[in-house]
Amino acid sequence: MYLLKRLPLVLAALILCFPASWTAAAGDTAPPAQPKPKNLVAFVIDDFGNNMAGTEEMLNLPVPLTVAVMPFMPSTKQDAELAHKKGHDVFVHMPMEPVKGKRSWLGPGAITTDLSDEEIRQRVEKAIDDVPHAIGINNHMGSKVTADEHMMRIIMSVVKKRGLIYLDSKTTDKSVAGKIAAEMGVPYVENRVFLDDEYSVPHITRQMEKICKLIGSHPVCIAIGHVGPPGKKTASVLRQYIPRIQKEAEFVTISQLIRQVGH
């Protein structure tokens, strides 16, 4: 009889001794913690379109890339078609005049500061038309043009009209591309690291280490590499780093990055 009288107190004591999760009703349990979203990394590979060394190795990497193809070159269409078929983004790698450098390095159809406004528009339009599946533009060289507000307004007006993305390769700190893109409502991103501005495996490896550090502290990282003289070396180093990077970040194309982050 004594135990029956004391039973409510005993039960209350027992309940206090167990974790709350044991005693909560099924509908009251806390939802499982959501996994932390991975940071995003986008690798842009420039200089496709001229049967350059490393083309096959880059296009066969098992991650999404953004493939920047120079217009009016021998393998422009072939490289753009293959990149698109493999699921990569295709960009026009638009030749633009640098502060220093030979004009012969630019390639055909380049944007130079001696052109009329209409010639600039026409060259950008023709370049877009020449690269199949192009959804964006980035500058090849261009330190002089990208620092010129008047010229960038003309270029960006075509980019906006065609519904494309503008990626600033950031060949100069004086670039006004971001400012003009924001004013005109053009989707815009910019390069953070050049992988292979020096054509050696030790340098490319150091740059990849820099990217790995950035990934840990930045939600988005964009890096540019090249086919051509460093192409096979860059592709080899990048392939080696893929498993390590995938532990920390998700590989995306530029268009995927913009859809996920918004710019």
Side-chain angles (χ1 to χ4, degrees), residues 184-224:
M184 300 181 72
V186 172
Y188 169 88
V189 290
E190 62 185 43
N191 174 44
R192 183 126 194 172
V193 178
F194 280 106
L195 292 178
D196 46 17
D197 44 333
E198 294 179 22
Y199 303 163
S200 72
V201 169
H203 177 76
I204 297 165
T205 301
R206 285 193 295 272
Q207 296 301 88
M208 289 299 298
E209 286 294 328
K210 185 184 291 186
I211 288 165
C212 288
K213 289 180 182 177
L214 283 170
I215 287 169
S217 57
H218 293 75
V220 171
C221 181
I222 297 170
I224 290 180

Side-chain angles (χ1 to χ4, degrees), residues 65-81:
L65 301 171
T66 297
V67 172
V69 184
M70 296 187 70
F72 317 115
M73 300 294 273
S75 64
T76 294
K77 290 178 170 53
Q78 173 186 313
D79 291 353
E81 291 287 359

